């Protein structure tokens, strides 16, 4: 699969090639900030198939163990493009809204962090759900 995408203003563009590693909806509180209030819709793509083709993003990491991720966004229009996690360095966590064709997402394989879901969020039916991440035990 090849995905082309970029930010709202067009300053930053990327291409991601390879087989998708995961497709998720994440309802965590942090994703609500980054998405504008909805769950985040994320497709994991191989880091070694990912390249920025125009412009350069800014990155932000809170540098704490509770949230070790770095999130990259357009310095001009502020669109969040992707996240990177030291727990999964072989993947880039692409924001599906930045795809030229968001329908390439297809649909989620999992819904994560339902522990922080809002009452106005809707979880798709027939999708495995996790109180936290799929790699963490349910509690
Ligand atoms: Zn932009
Ligand atoms: Zn999240």
């Amino acid at each position: 699969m090849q995905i082309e995408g970029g930010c709202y203003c067009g300053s930053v563009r990327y291409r991601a090639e390879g087989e998708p590693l995961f497709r998720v909806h994440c309802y965590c509180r942090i994703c609500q900030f980054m998405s504008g209030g909805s769950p985040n819709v994320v497709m994991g793509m191989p880091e070694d198939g990912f390249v920025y083709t125009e412009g350069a993003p800014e990155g932000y990491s809170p540098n704490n163990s509770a949230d070790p991720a770095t999130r990259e966004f357009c310095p001009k229009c502020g669109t969040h493009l992707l996240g990177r996690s030291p727990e999964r360095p072989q993947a880039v966590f692409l924001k599906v809204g930045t795809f030229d064709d968001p329908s390439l997402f297809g649909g989620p394989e999992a819904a994560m962090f339902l522990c922080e879901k809002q009452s106005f969020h809707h979880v798709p039916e027939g999708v495995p759900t996790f109180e936290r991440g799929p790699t963490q035990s349910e509690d």
Side-chain angles (χ1 to χ4, degrees):
M1 177 180 276
Q2 176 167 309
I3 296 166
E4 305 266 357
C7 66
Y8 179 56
C9 80
S11 300
V12 182
R13 298 279 307 162
Y14 64 77
R15 183 173 58 242
E17 288 178 309
E19 285 309 302
L21 301 168
F22 51 86
R23 297 173 162 94
V24 298
H25 286 188
C26 184
Y27 293 81
C28 83
R29 187 67 187 93
I30 298 165
C31 282
Q32 294 172 34
F33 278 94
M34 304 309 160
S35 72
S38 299
N40 222 336
V41 183
V42 174
M43 183 185 277
M45 289 293 287
E47 198 279 334
D48 61 8
F50 177 84
V51 64
Y52 283 109
T53 54
E54 260 183 69
E58 293 279 337
Y60 174 73
S61 172
N63 277 321
N64 65 50
S65 57
D67 181 18
T70 298
R71 297 181 181 81
E72 297 180 8
F73 52 92
C74 172
K76 189 171 175 186
C77 72
T79 303
H80 268 252
L81 297 154
L82 63 85
R84 299 179 194 264
S85 169
E87 289 158 9
R88 201 156 182 188
Q90 71 277 24
V92 288
F93 293 59
L94 289 178
K95 309 281 171 96
V96 170
T98 66
F99 292 4
D100 289 348
D101 180 5
S103 73
L104 290 174
F105 179 64
E109 299 163 337
M112 298 166 47
F113 282 90
L114 266 66
C115 59
E116 296 180 340
K117 168 186 169 300
Q118 302 297 328
S119 61
F120 51 84
H121 291 157
H122 300 286
V123 180
E125 285 187 25
V127 171
T129 60
F130 298 86
E131 283 303 299
R132 299 178 183 281
T135 56
Q136 292 161 288
S137 61
E138 294 280 289
D139 52 21

